[in-house]
Structure formats: structure tokens, C-alpha cells
Amino acid sequence: MNKNNPLPSAENGQKQKTTFSGNIGYILAVAGSAVGLGNIWRFPYLAAKYGGGIFLLVYLILMMTFGYAMIVSETAIGRMTGKSPVGAFSSFGSKKWLKCGGWINAVIPMLILPYYSVIGGWVVKYCWEYLRGQADALAGDEFFGGFISNSLVSEICFVVFVLAAFFVIVAGVKNGIEAVSKIIMPALVVLAIITAIYSVTRPGALAGVKYFLVPNFKDFSIMTVVAAMGQMFYSLSLAMGILITYGSYLKKDSDIEKNTTRVEWFDTGIAILAGLMIIPAVFAFTGGDIKTLKAGPSLMFITLPKVFDSMGFGNLIGSVFFIMVLFAALTSAISLFETCTATISEELRMNRTFSSVIVLAVSLLLGTASVFGYGIWSFVEIFGMQILDFFDFLTNSLMMPISAFFICILVIKVIGFDGIAEEVKRSSKFNRQPMYYVVTKYIAPFFLMIILASSIASTLGLITI
Ligand code: PHE
């Protein structure tokens, strides 16, 4: 980027780049990034743990205010500069903190991709086993533990998953990401609706639906807000350079406000459907025992297979469910892969294919460490965490709030609210501009520091989240 031109025009930035062919392609790709394991596995478990209906209500309010403001900032920064995070930040000057802000946004996806793909590999394994008719075996207590501690089998599943993402990236933005998202996302919606209907119509499931949808203010605590906020960042893929990168591929005439609204509701819709798939089914299975729902990571891989097995048609419903999860995880992994590839090819001036090979190599290396962390390297502990959990903690609890903070400061101090508004208004109305202003300036920086402090405190065992 031309150093004398700190506010680059889009034409400068976008000239040599591939873009999405149209609005729908862009929306599906961003929605594909947003909808992932976070919606299907993490959201229902957190909702169950932090008060059911009241968690949902808090989440919706945060999503429409905070989430909206962050998506708009990132997309506008991306489209304004035509660059992925490092280039985007440094096109506003050469100050150290701008470099720092860009790089932290760029490094996060490189750290998430490997361990996200390890979990993607677990999903590959479950799809395979359900399709082979192994519902009974999957429902056994030992299956999951036995599988992840078998480093060879887990490694093969992980490699299959990363390679799938890699091939889509090599195919490019339009022919790869957009084409795959256009097929996968509608299929995912159909599968989610079928599974949710099946789940809420089980005998005894209605109590679960009520717990999940009806807010009860007695269940509210400050941790409801902290947990909902962390989940919202993760679920909308915020503060990880992804929306900056995808924004840089966005055409100047695409309506940022409308697209943002569509994406946030799509993401939340899938999370609600996932809640309706999982919470009522587990309620029906356990007779309303909320403790089972709080199982966390094991909920999807240990409890749900038992629930499916007990429902009848276990193999069919298990296959449908895990294929859906696989689609969701794959499109999210693709967005992570793309952001890393774009950063490397822009910053090191390499061609796309070569950059994606570097990302593949780093992912294989770090991901293998995470795989081995549950198997042959299970003696390794970092701050009391296994390798995979450590990467998750490092990125989501420590780096993400810092990176979001940098984005807010970039908007407040350098670009200015008028700069963002001008970019948004090139192609659309900016109805929520006053709200955007208040949230970005006063609420976001404060809340981000609270998330950071609470996650550090909970790791040190000072509070329990
Ligand atoms: N948003 C994705 C989900 O809900 C996860 C994700 C996080 C994807 C970070 C990309 C980057 O699962």
C-alpha cells in the first residue's frame, strides 16, 4: 500500500484481488464462517449452564448491539483498505501499535485453525462411524476417550479435515469458498430443521424447550453476561481478522448494514435451532437433569450419541446430525484458512497457492501437537491445560479481547466515526449509526476489559465461570 496515501481508496486495494461474485456469495461465506462448532456444540451447553431463557435473552441483546457494531467496524475496515488485517491496520500509518493490532488479528486465526481442525477431525470420525451403522458403539462410555487417546487414528481424521479445507482454499474465493458455501449452507439449514423437529417432538422434550426459551430472571447472574459475551465473539468470528479479510473482498455496492443484519440473525438462528436440537433431546433422555447438559466438551461427543441411540433410528439421526456439524465446522475452518493465506500472500508477497501450503504446514504441525496432547503426549500440561485447551484459552480468552480492543481504538482514534459512516453509506443506509457510536466508544472497550479480566481470574482459579 502506498505509504503516502494513508486512507487508501478501494480501487487501489481491490484491483488485484479476487472478490465474491455477488451479495449472496458473500453472505453465505460470512455466515459459513460464523456458523460452526460454536453454534452447535458451545451455544447449547452454555445456554443450559447459564440460565436457559435468560441467557438467550442476554445473548440476543448483545448480538444486536455489540455484535452488530463489531461486524460493521471490521467489514468497513476491510472494504475501505482492501486488505487483510496486517495490511489494513498499517495502511493507517506506521505506528507500532498499528502493527501490533494488525498482527494480533492475523495470528489468532493461525492459532485457532490447527486445534479447530482437530475437533473437525473428531467430527469426521463420528460421521464415518454413524454412516457405518455404529450408533451402539458410539453410545458406549469408552468410545470417545478411546478414540482421542489413539494418536494415529485421531491424526488421520485431523489430516483429512485440514486437507478438505486446503483444497477449497486452493480453488480460490469464488470457485472455492463461495461455491462450497452456496451448497453447504442451505443443506445445513435443512438438516438443522429436521433434527430440531425430531428432537422437540420426543416425549418429555417440551420441558427442555421451555427451559431454553422462557427467560427466568431468577437465573440471571453477572456470569450470564460474561459467558454470553464471550460466546458472541466466538460465534460471530469477531476480532480474528476474518471479517476484515472477507470485507476486503466485498464489492463497493454491497449493503453493509443489511448484510450484517442478515449474518447475525442467520448465525443466531442456527444457534437457537441447535439449542432446540440438543436441550430438549437431553431433557427427554435424562428426565430433566440439567447437570447432564453442563457436560461441556463431552456433551456432543459422549452424551448426544447416547441420546441418539436411545431414540431409535440412532444411526440415521446421528449421521444427519454429524454431517451437519461437519459442514458447519468445514466452512468455519475455510474462513480461518483464507485469512491466514491472505495475510501471508499480502505480507510476504507470495502467490496464493504457495501461501496456502505454508498455512497447511503450520496447521499440520500445531494440530499434530494438539492431537498428541490427548494421546502419546498426554503428560504435557501448559498452565494445567492440555495442549488443545491451551490454544483455545490463549486465543479466545486472552488474545481475542485484546484484538477487539485494538479494533475499537483504531476506529475511535484513527479512522473516526465519520470515516466508518462514510464507508458504510457508500452503499447503504446506516440506521443504527447512533447505537454504533455509543457501543463502540463507551461500552465495548469497558466490556472487553471485563472479559479479559474474568477469563484470567477464572484460569487462576479466583472465580469459576
Ligand atoms: N464462529 C465459529 C463457530 O461458531 C468459530 C470460529 C471461530 C470460526 C474463529 C472462525 C474463527 O464455530
Side-chain angles (χ1 to χ4, degrees):
M1 183 56 57
N2 179 359
K3 286 252 161 50
N4 305 321
N5 178 12
L7 269 178
S9 74
E11 292 69 29
N12 279 347
Q14 291 192 343
K15 188 160 60 195
Q16 68 300 29
K17 292 188 81 142
T18 53
T19 55
F20 291 108
S21 64
N23 234 5
I24 285 293
Y26 169 79
I27 292 171
L28 291 178
V30 177
S33 167
V35 173
L37 295 165
N39 302 58
I40 300 176
W41 153 73
R42 206 162 179 263
F43 180 86
Y45 136 70
L46 286 174
K49 182 166 175 183
Y50 292 104
I54 192 73
F55 178 90
L56 183 59
L57 183 66
V58 171
Y59 185 88
L60 288 176
I61 295 171
L62 286 175
M63 178 275 281
M64 285 187 285
T65 52
F66 212 140
Y68 168 81
M70 288 299 302
I71 303 184
V72 168
S73 296
E74 290 195 38
T75 312
I77 292 171
R79 194 173 72 171
M80 178 186 288
T81 59
K83 294 266 171 181
S84 53
V86 179
F89 268 77
S90 52
S91 53
F92 295 102
S94 52
K95 292 216 181 74
K96 270 227 174 68
W97 74 268
L98 286 168
K99 268 222 154 62
C100 213
W103 275 108
I104 190 164
N105 265 278
V107 167
I108 294 177
M110 193 66 258
L111 294 176
I112 295 184
L113 177 62
Y115 85 79
Y116 199 82
S117 303
V118 173
I119 306 179
W122 299 350
V123 178
V124 169
K125 170 78 175 170
Y126 273 61
C127 283
W128 170 246
E129 295 296 342
Y130 271 115
L131 289 170
R132 286 191 330 136
Q134 297 295 311
D136 277 350
L138 289 165
D141 279 334
E142 307 302 320
F143 184 86
F144 183 62
F147 161 57
I148 61 171
S149 57
N150 183 335
S151 295
L152 181 64
V153 178
S154 313
E155 178 73 12
I156 293 171
C157 296
F158 156 66
V159 172
V160 167
F161 185 88
V162 188
L163 284 180
F166 170 72
F167 287 125
V168 174
I169 296 301
V170 172
V173 174
K174 209 180 292 177
N175 300 331
I177 303 177
E178 185 175 322
V180 167
S181 306
K182 272 187 176 160
I183 301 168
I184 284 187
M185 296 315 286
L188 187 139
V189 174
V190 174
L191 295 181
I193 293 175
I194 295 174
T195 326
I197 292 177
Y198 184 75
S199 165
V200 299
T201 50
R202 294 306 90 198
L206 233 56
V209 177
K210 197 168 150 231
Y211 176 71
F212 175 51
L213 294 183
V214 183
N216 185 343
F217 290 89
K218 273 205 321 283
D219 294 327
F220 180 83
S221 82
I222 192 66
M223 289 326 287
T224 312
V225 182
V226 173
M229 177 95 75
Q231 170 63 13
M232 185 201 73
F233 268 90
Y234 188 75
S235 189
L236 292 174
S237 307
L238 299 176
M240 309 187 183
I242 290 173
L243 296 175
I244 298 182
T245 307
Y246 277 14
S248 77
Y249 302 142
L250 187 60
K251 293 197 168 137
K252 282 287 171 189
D253 55 359
S254 285
D255 186 323
I256 291 187
E257 180 158 271
K258 231 188 235 153
N259 287 345
T260 302
T261 310
R262 286 184 186 140
V263 167
E264 60 184 0
W265 280 106
F266 187 79
D267 184 65
T268 308
I270 297 285
I272 293 176
L273 273 178
L276 287 175
M277 285 183 254
I278 293 176
I279 297 180
V282 177
F283 250 72
F285 175 68
T286 61
D289 178 11
I290 296 176
K291 256 196 241 105
T292 322
L293 275 169
K294 298 184 177 170
S298 59
L299 184 65
M300 194 165 87
F301 294 103
I302 298 176
T303 317
L304 265 194
K306 289 190 203 302
V307 176
F308 290 154
D309 198 38
S310 74
M311 282 176 161
F313 309 110
N315 280 311
L316 181 65
I317 201 80
S319 306
V320 171
F321 180 83
F322 276 97
I323 289 175
M324 179 185 68
V325 180
L326 182 64
F327 285 173
L330 193 61
T331 47
S332 294
I334 288 169
S335 72
L336 291 162
F337 214 125
E338 174 60 27
T339 302
C340 303
T341 305
T343 301
I344 294 181
S345 75
E346 282 172 25
E347 294 314 308
L348 305 181
R349 298 188 194 288
M350 288 179 184
N351 76 34
R352 228 185 117 80
T353 311
F354 193 65
S355 312
S356 55
V357 172
I358 297 180
V359 178
L360 178 67
V362 176
S363 303
L364 287 174
L365 209 73
L366 295 180
T368 302
S370 290
V371 169
F372 286 0
Y374 284 115
I376 50 180
W377 289 353
S378 59
F379 55 88
V380 179
E381 275 198 1
I382 313 173
F383 300 114
M385 288 174 252
Q386 275 167 312
I387 301 174
L388 188 147
D389 301 314
F390 171 73
F391 278 123
D392 184 52
F393 170 77
L394 178 70
T395 48
N396 290 306
S397 305
L398 296 184
M399 295 170 76
M400 183 215 58
I402 299 175
S403 125
F405 194 74
F406 272 115
I407 292 171
C408 291
I409 302 298
L410 179 66
V411 172
I412 299 168
K413 291 250 184 269
V414 183
I415 305 177
F417 289 97
D418 292 344
I420 296 283
E422 192 187 319
E423 182 62 36
V424 174
K425 285 179 185 165
R426 274 170 184 265
S427 54
S428 61
K429 293 204 192 98
F430 196 5
N431 291 323
R432 292 194 253 173
Q433 188 174 356
M435 195 265 299
Y436 171 81
Y437 175 83
V438 174
V439 169
T440 310
K441 181 146 191 191
Y442 300 107
I443 304 179
F446 171 71
F447 265 109
L448 289 168
M449 287 306 109
I450 293 193
I451 303 188
L452 184 62
S454 62
S455 42
I456 293 175
S458 81
T459 316
L460 298 177
L462 303 176
I463 52 170
T464 42
I465 297 191

